[in-house]
Amino acid sequence: MRVAVIGAGVIGCATALELAKRGAEVVLLERAVPGSEASSAAAGMLGAGAEIDEDDPEQIERLVRARDAYGPWIEELRGETGIDVGYRVSGILIVMTGDPVERERLTRIVALQRARGQRAELIDGVQARSIEPELSADVGACAYFPDDSQVDPPALLRALVASLAKKRNVSLRSGAVVERMLLEGGRCTGVALAAPPAAGQSNVVQADATVLAAGSWSSLLPGIEKELAPVRPARGQVVQLEERPPRLATPIVRGPAYAIPRGDGRVYCGSTVEFVGYRREITAGAVRDILDGTIRTIPSLAEASLSSTWMGFRPHAERPLVGRSSIPGLFWATGHYRSGIVLAKITADDIAQSIFASS
Ligand SMILES: Cc1cc2nc3c(=O)[nH]c(=O)nc-3n(C[C@H](O)[C@H](O)[C@H](O)COP(=O)(O)OP(=O)(O)OC[C@H]3O[C@@H](n4cnc5c(N)ncnc54)[C@H](O)[C@@H]3O)c2cc1C
């Protein structure tokens, strides 16, 4: 079984790894540097409270399952590569804003999680400050998810690439721009690259199965517009601060602003959600809003140094597009929007299972 995977973000890398473990010969095609798009820009929150937009019980169930799959997966990756991916069960505190809709949404999420035997609590400001003393005195009611965890996405991507490099049945080609799917007799038989890998070589990659994991660029490939629900970029801007010595210990979310301490002094502060096409900009207004929001909630961050800024494009779709497409031989692994890091492992499992089931 030969499988072509388009895109080496967290989804493409995790899927390629899972397929390789199950014995497939995998060609992973990446136009740029593996992991250099949304996957390395992410906050890396692994939870079912903060980065979701709806209180869909099925989605929450899937996110909790995905979060719980992380511990064993990370151990396996560490064993293979020796890379520490910053996995920590640090809990996540979500500060209730004055917005009654948000308050109701969080109350429902806590109730749903508790009904499934998960630890989740509604707490007051005093309890919240006993968990995280850096919280401002104006913080009142919060939702607390003590079993939520985090990972450092660039480190995760390094570990995935290192693990792929050890697999004899994986060929990871960066600088390989997929131009189109090969569609023959109604079946997908691989992909055509924009340019051959080397002079005299073919630009065609034949495959028994092809996985589209091209993130925010998935809808740009020609010939699949009717089959694939639209995937569009949702820009997220990020500011990274550094505290010496580290003070903040718990990830804090308040409205659109959040602060994720990495444990070593770095504090990841996000983020915006902007539908502005593929514009790669860091805007003054976004940096101001992110800093305003985080410093209002965690006043000591005003003393931290601003070390860097970046942005990424979340692949937005109505819901994640995972599994067989209506074209035989072609599988979707895209549209993970705000949850692609947490969902990576279970998406990889689902895709590998459906490819082997259909062979
Ligand atoms: C600011 C921000 C914060 C986030 N926070 C979280 C979080 O806390 N938790 C969480 O779970 N998720 C989070 N996310 C979402 C998460 O980052 C994404 O859902 C996830 O990274 C998507 O992974 P992907 O592999 O589908 O896409 P990407 O990482 O974008 O990878 C797609 C790859 O496909 C390649 N590609 C595209 N077209 C082609 C082509 N034609 N040929 C070859 N290669 C191609 C691209 O170069 C790219 O490397 C966040 C995202 C952002 C931007």
Side-chain angles (χ1 to χ4, degrees):
M1 159 83 66
R2 184 172 154 89
V3 185
V5 179
I6 308 167
V10 71
I11 300 294
C13 288
T15 302
L17 198 52
E18 195 52 44
L19 285 162
K21 274 194 227 150
R22 297 183 193 204
E25 182 196 341
V26 185
V27 186
L28 176 54
L29 300 159
E30 169 56 50
R31 62 179 186 182
V33 174
S36 56
E37 295 287 357
S39 299
S40 287
M45 281 186 275
L46 310 174
E51 284 275 292
I52 63 172
D53 287 335
E54 47 188 312
D55 55 344
D56 169 353
E58 229 178 85
Q59 190 195 14
I60 293 176
E61 192 114 22
R62 200 170 154 73
L63 287 167
V64 169
R65 189 159 64 83
R67 179 198 69 190
D68 293 346
Y70 246 81
W73 190 41
I74 291 311
E75 271 313 302
E76 201 181 315
L77 279 174
R78 200 207 314 261
E80 273 176 4
T81 65
I83 296 176
D84 175 0
V85 303
Y87 173 73
R88 295 194 300 138
V89 183
S90 41
I92 295 181
L93 256 172
I94 307 184
V95 179
M96 303 264 195
T97 60
D99 177 1
V101 177
E102 170 72 354
R103 182 174 285 257
E104 205 186 305
R105 185 186 82 94
L106 281 170
T107 307
R108 271 204 306 271
I109 290 175
V110 167
L112 280 166
Q113 294 222 16
R114 289 175 73 96
R116 278 165 185 73
Q118 298 292 319
R119 293 201 298 158
E121 291 169 55
L122 291 173
I123 57 177
D124 63 23
V126 175
Q127 290 168 306
R129 274 181 291 282
S130 73
I131 294 165
E132 179 47 72
E134 298 302 321
L135 278 177
S136 143
D138 83 333
V139 164
C142 294
Y144 182 44
F145 303 93
D147 297 323
D148 280 357
S149 43
Q150 62 160 298
V151 73
D152 188 2
L156 173 65
L157 266 293
R158 280 197 296 279
L160 287 170
V161 170
S163 174
L164 286 165
K166 287 176 181 272
K167 302 276 177 297
R168 287 178 176 207
N169 50 340
V170 175
S171 158
L172 168 49
R173 301 194 199 158
S174 48
V177 181
V178 173
E179 196 171 53
R180 63 187 165 85
M181 259 51 110
L182 298 174
L183 299 169
E184 291 168 20
R187 187 180 172 82
C188 180
T189 58
V191 301
L193 303 178
Q201 288 186 356
S202 168
N203 69 331
V204 161
V205 178
Q206 295 282 354
D208 304 303
T210 300
V211 180
L212 178 62
S216 289
W217 298 269
S218 299
S219 288
L220 301 184
L221 281 158
I224 52 165
E225 300 84 353
K226 287 200 187 110
E227 280 76 20
L228 182 70
V231 180
R232 55 191 188 128
R235 186 171 75 186
Q237 302 188 45
V238 179
V239 176
Q240 184 165 279
L241 303 179
E242 283 189 23
E243 296 186 298
R244 297 278 181 257
R247 292 173 68 165
L248 184 69
T250 312
I252 308 291
V253 181
R254 188 184 207 173
Y258 51 82
I260 316 293
R262 296 292 188 216
D264 56 5
R266 286 174 301 150
V267 181
Y268 176 112
C269 302
S271 181
T272 56
V273 178
E274 303 161 277
F275 292 93
V276 293
Y278 297 95
R279 281 164 48 190
R280 292 183 188 271
E281 300 157 332
I282 303 296
T283 61
V287 172
R288 176 200 58 207
D289 291 348
I290 291 168
L291 290 177
D292 263 6
T294 46
I295 292 170
R296 188 161 68 88
T297 310
I298 307 139
S300 57
L301 284 181
E303 304 303 322
S305 58
L306 195 161
S307 60
S308 52
T309 56
W310 63 85
M311 46 70 52
F313 297 115
R314 305 174 185 91
H316 175 273
E318 282 305 309
R319 49 185 49 238
L321 306 164
V322 176
R324 282 171 200 227
S325 76
S326 54
I327 301 170
L330 180 60
F331 295 78
W332 309 137
T334 186
H336 290 78
Y337 192 35
R338 304 185 77 167
S339 305
I341 302 292
V342 59
L343 292 175
K345 172 67 171 124
I346 66 169
T347 289
D349 290 343
D350 288 352
I351 296 288
Q353 203 174 343
S354 67
I355 288 179
F356 278 97
S358 65
S359 67

